[in-house]
Structure formats: structure tokens, C-alpha cells
Amino acid sequence: MKYIGFILLAVIIAIILLLLIAVIRTLLMPGKTSSYVAEEPEEESLALAQKLSKMIQYDTTSHANVAEVEKFLGFHKVLEELFPLVHEKLEKTEIDGNLLFYWKGKSSEKPILLMSHQDVVPAEGEWIHAPFSGDIAEGKVWGRGASDTKCSVMAFFQAVEELLAEGFIPPTDVYLASSCTEEWGGDGAPKIVAELQRRGIELFLVCDEGGGIITEPIGGIHGNFAMVGVFEKGKADVKFTARSNGGHASTPVKGTPIARLSAFVNEVETHSPFRKKMLPEVSAMFTALAPYAGFGMKLVFGNLWLFGPLLKAVMPSLSAQAGAMLKTTIAFTVQKGSDAYNVLPQEAYVGANMRFIPHQGEKESLEIIKKVAGKYGLETEVLHANDYTPPVDIHGEAFHLVEQTIADTFPGLPSSPYVMTGATDAQFYQPICKSCIRFAPVIYGPEQMKGMHGLNENIEYNCLPGAVRFYKNLIRAEK
């Protein structure tokens, strides 16, 4: 018993020492404030807002598996009117409504590609400003596509337009790309990639949408932060089906299809079968954000060597966005049973959307969920699946170039790696580029985040000049 007492005392002393070290490290950590605010000349901001407005006014809604080439050819005419030098000086390739422009540089080594998509999701419901009005009001441009992502399409076209007007020749080859099928994961971007492969192009850098200048990226971290997406989680649509002989609802038996499906959903929701892990990119994000947090969060974020396990345990309950960076997720989104209230269904199903994390990718995650579904006698059908994309090297040359361009363009704006929980066209460029970075250089505050794919989408137009400067600086940079 005496030895056990000594061991317990030693453990307590060790814990106290570790906590003391963590507190001292935190006290020595410099406190920082994100000081970047978009303050741009009103005249320049309004001129860019007007260009974006005209782009929004042309409805480019895309629909899954529907060819709408003529619609996008019409939109291309709008782009030609707004950016005449781009269309006059650059080599244009149009592929079924998808766009690829080539700007020859002084060198063909380490070419870069700037991209964002033309298409938008359907606009439903009642809007304050009509979804395709392109209204400029209250310091914002309103309409579907304002933030997702005609703002960045406008910005990189404008950047090239201005550089061409200056007679500038880029140090390396520059490509501009824009698909018309991104919103439903269609074949637009793959067609552009196939054309680049036909030309034998290996890209040094792809800069797409995904991350952005996010206001309060995690609750308690105040201000604007450049969140630079370095990989995408994989995704799948999965259908789980329960079958029975049916029957009349007046004499129900145990284990009806809906009961089994409900039990399955409840188990997955309350006891996630997927393993949480702090990936290097996620650790780097928390470390980068730590100096901007209050003492408690700074203590945890700045000492992951000690508090990593605690953070893994509590983060999903504190922030769904941050929690999704730690594990494979599954969200149940579709369900169907009997067509009548008094009939037990012979077949019922639920549908789910899964997002795969690198430490438990597509194959392992699907095997895990199939095993859980099997406990309830459910059939599992994978309707669509693709795995996560390889992470960008956050210590590599391309990532450093983007970080430096952010610092040069937006003084006082901190930057951090970021895990994309959604999907972008950048995933299709992996075969020809090792550094597919997801970063749109515009400010997404809570209102803009809520409006994407929702009602009243808008963008504050005073952030548009900075977006143009970012792309100009990225093009100018020596690779």
C-alpha cells in the first residue's frame, strides 16, 4: 500500500508539472489580434461590384446530368464584354460550356492555374433581393453566385485584364479555368483536365475555391483569417434498405423495417463508429490560431502535446465544422417507408451522405458502416463514392507561395491550413498537380456563409479589390 501511495503521489506531481509547463508556455506565447479589415476606395469597389452584378444577372443554374451548353455559351458573351483583353490576348478553349484560357509566360516551368466555377445552385424561396437581380445595396452585391463563386471568377479575370492593360508578361505560364458542372460534381472539370493532359501539362499550383477569408473560423477566435484549404474529404451517397413481408399496421410484429432503420440510425448518431485523429494539417491549424484565442483556448490549442486527446474528445460538441476535420462523418438525409399509414412497408430505406478522412478512407469507412448496418439486417448500396484527396505539403514551396501572397496582399491577415469538408472541382486536378490549394480571396462573414446555397446570397463589395490584388500578386510572383 505504501508503494501505491508513492506511485499516486508521483503521478499527481507529474500531472501538476505538465500543467505548469503548459501554463508557462501559454503565458510566454505572444497574444495577437487579427487586424485585417477590408478598407478599399469606394469607386474601385463599386466598379468591380458592377461587373459582378452583370455576371449574377445571367442565370447560370446547373442541373445534375443535364447538358446546358447554350446557356453557358451565353454567359461567355457576358464575360467577353466585361473582360475584352482577356479574350483578345489569351488563347481560349471552350469545351461543352467549360472554359480554359492560356496566357504564355516568359517560362513554361512551374505553370499555375486559377479557377472557380461558372454554375450556381437553384435559387428557391423568398429573397430580400431577387436571386438574379445582381442588386448593389447596403454595401453588398446580392444574388445567386455572388459568393459561390462568381466573385472569384470576376476577380481573377479582372486581375488578368489589368495586367494585360499594363503590358505585363507573367514569369511563368498562367491558365484560367472555369467549369459549368461543379455544383453537382459533373464532368466539366474532368474535361478541362483531359485537355491539359493532352497538352502534357504538369501544374505547379492550382488555386480554386474552398477556403477563404473567414470571419471567426472557430467560435472564440475573433477577426478575419485566411483559411487555406489543403485537402478535401472524400464523399459517398449510401442507401440502407430494410425489407420484410409487410402486413397490416393493426397487427405489427417486432423488427419492422422502419424500426430496424431507426435503431441503426440511432446507434450511428449516438455512438459514432469512426475513429477521431488529429491530422498534421489540423494540428497546424489549431497551432496557427492559438495566439489569437483567449487564455483557455490558447492553453489548449497551443499545447496539443498535452491537450490533444482532450481536444479530440470535446471538439465535435463545440464545433461541428472543426469536429468534421477529425473523423469520417455520416449524415442521414433521405428516408422512405410505406405509402399508407396503415400498411407495414415491405421495403423502407434511409439515405446518407458520408465524408471520408485520410486515416479512415473510403474503403475502411464503408466497410465499418456496412458492418453496423448488417447488425440490423440492412442492405447497403453505395450509389456514388470517391476518396479523399492527397494533402498539400504545408511545408512545401507552393503552399508557402500562397501564404506569402496572402501576407503581401492583406497586411495583418493571419493564415492557417484548413481541411475542406465539402467538395470542389480541385479534386479532379490531382493527377496533374501535387499542390491543389483551395482559397478564394474574399471575406466570408456569418451572413455570407449562411447565404451560400441558401437564401439572400451576397458578398460585401469592399473586399473585391483585395481579391483582384491577390490574383495579380500570385501571377506576378516568381515561382
Side-chain angles (χ1 to χ4, degrees), residues 271-293:
H271 300 92
S272 173
F274 303 111
R275 188 173 74 253
K276 288 179 283 191
K277 181 178 179 180
M278 193 77 71
L279 297 170
E281 296 79 14
V282 179
S283 295
M285 180 188 76
F286 287 127
T287 300
L289 296 178
Y292 302 90

Side-chain angles (χ1 to χ4, degrees), residues 97-302:
N98 305 286
L99 286 173
L100 177 66
F101 287 85
Y102 169 56
W103 189 9
K104 183 172 176 53
K106 296 175 183 177
S107 167
S108 291
E109 294 185 10
K110 297 185 176 180
I112 67 171
L113 184 142
L114 312 178
M115 61 183 282
S116 217
H117 57 89
Q118 307 164 58
D119 62 322
V120 300
V121 296
E124 300 168 343
E126 295 185 13
W127 290 52
I128 297 172
H129 298 268
F132 299 103
S133 65
D135 283 352
I136 299 173
E138 303 165 44
K140 301 164 188 170
V141 187
W142 298 79
R144 181 60 86 218
S147 60
D148 185 15
T149 58
K150 288 181 178 177
C151 56
S152 45
V153 175
M154 183 282 296
F156 64 67
F157 269 95
Q158 180 67 20
V160 174
E161 188 80 4
E162 292 181 13
L163 290 172
L164 287 169
E166 298 169 11
F168 178 79
I169 299 174
T172 190
D173 289 349
V174 176
Y175 294 86
L176 310 179
S178 187
S179 88
C180 58
T181 65
E182 192 277 345
E183 290 293 7
W184 51 277
D187 61 1
K191 287 178 178 178
I192 298 173
V193 171
E195 172 61 21
L196 291 169
Q197 288 175 314
R198 187 189 67 78
R199 301 181 191 184
I201 304 300
E202 179 77 21
L203 296 166
F204 168 70
L205 169 68
V206 165
C207 186
D208 191 15
E209 62 155 333
I213 303 174
I214 311 298
T215 304
E216 195 166 339
I218 296 176
I221 306 288
H222 303 293
N224 292 319
F225 294 82
M227 306 303 289
V228 184
V230 292
F231 74 83
E232 293 178 20
K233 296 178 76 174
K235 64 176 181 177
D237 295 324
V238 187
K239 182 179 180 181
F240 304 95
T241 303
R243 303 186 191 279
S244 76
N245 292 324
H248 199 285
S250 62
T251 55
V253 296
K254 294 288 186 182
T256 60
I258 288 178
R260 284 151 48 208
L261 288 168
S262 299
F264 164 65
V265 171
N266 182 65
E267 176 174 339
V268 173
E269 288 273 311
T270 55
H271 300 92
S272 173
F274 303 111
R275 188 173 74 253
K276 288 179 283 191
K277 181 178 179 180
M278 193 77 71
L279 297 170
E281 296 79 14
V282 179
S283 295
M285 180 188 76
F286 287 127
T287 300
L289 296 178
Y292 302 90
F295 182 81
M297 291 180 70
K298 185 186 295 186
L299 178 66
V300 175
F301 288 178

Side-chain angles (χ1 to χ4, degrees), residues 13-14 21 70 78 87 111 129 136 138 205 219 230 236 290 301 313 329 361 376 379 390 425 434-435 456 462 466 479:
I13 292 172
I21 291 169
E70 290 302 318
V78 176
H87 289 77
H129 298 268
I136 299 173
E138 303 165 44
L205 169 68
V230 292
F301 288 178
T329 59
Y376 299 93
E379 299 172 12
D425 271 344
K434 292 185 175 67
S435 296
N456 304 314
N462 63 357
K479 312 300 179 290

Side-chain angles (χ1 to χ4, degrees), residues 247-477:
H248 199 285
S250 62
T251 55
V253 296
K254 294 288 186 182
T256 60
I258 288 178
R260 284 151 48 208
L261 288 168
S262 299
F264 164 65
V265 171
N266 182 65
E267 176 174 339
V268 173
E269 288 273 311
T270 55
H271 300 92
S272 173
F274 303 111
R275 188 173 74 253
K276 288 179 283 191
K277 181 178 179 180
M278 193 77 71
L279 297 170
E281 296 79 14
V282 179
S283 295
M285 180 188 76
F286 287 127
T287 300
L289 296 178
Y292 302 90
F295 182 81
M297 291 180 70
K298 185 186 295 186
L299 178 66
V300 175
F301 288 178
N303 295 279
L304 294 179
W305 58 275
L306 180 60
F307 295 110
L310 174 64
L311 193 59
K312 277 197 303 181
V314 303
M315 186 51 68
S317 60
L318 297 178
S319 166
Q321 180 74 14
M325 299 181 190
L326 303 180
K327 65 177 183 177
T328 290
T329 59
I330 180 169
F332 294 98
T333 53
V334 177
Q335 61 181 347
K336 187 179 186 305
S338 174
D339 292 325
Y341 282 93
N342 64 345
V343 176
L344 297 174
Q346 294 184 34
E347 175 184 304
Y349 66 83
V350 294
N353 183 259
M354 298 181 67
R355 302 285 169 146
F356 309 124
I357 202 76
H359 62 269
Q360 280 189 317
E362 175 187 347
K363 183 180 179 182
E364 183 179 351
S365 293
L366 288 173
E367 287 176 352
I368 288 170
I369 204 67
K370 285 179 183 177
K371 186 175 180 180
V372 178
K375 289 167 51 179
Y376 299 93
L378 308 182
E379 299 172 12
T380 301
E381 179 185 2
V382 180
L383 306 178
H384 159 83
N386 62 268
D387 216 344
Y388 62 88
T389 62
V392 173
D393 181 1
I394 59 175
H395 304 293
E397 186 180 358
F399 185 80
H400 176 71
L401 173 67
V402 173
E403 275 194 317
Q404 188 59 52
T405 304
I406 290 169
D408 293 342
T409 308
F410 308 107
L413 178 67
S415 62
S416 167
Y418 172 70
V419 176
M420 279 291 300
T421 54
T424 71
D425 271 344
Q427 63 180 301
F428 299 112
Y429 285 78
Q430 296 292 154
I432 60 170
C433 185
K434 292 185 175 67
S435 296
C436 294
I437 289 175
R438 287 86 168 165
F439 177 72
V442 293
I443 296 176
Y444 294 106
E447 185 177 337
Q448 285 71 44
M449 296 295 283
K450 185 178 179 181
M452 279 192 280
H453 291 211
L455 294 174
N456 304 314
E457 184 177 348
N458 67 73
I459 196 80
E460 295 190 359
Y461 61 65
N462 63 357
C463 75
L464 297 177
V468 175
R469 281 200 310 276
F470 170 83
Y471 287 121
K472 289 174 73 173
N473 288 341
L474 191 58
I475 291 167
R476 288 189 186 110

Side-chain angles (χ1 to χ4, degrees), residues 27-44:
L27 291 171
L28 293 174
M29 189 184 299
K32 296 182 180 180
T33 302
S34 173
S35 59
Y36 177 72
V37 178
E39 295 179 343
E40 304 288 351
E42 181 75 4
E43 184 178 352
E44 182 182 2

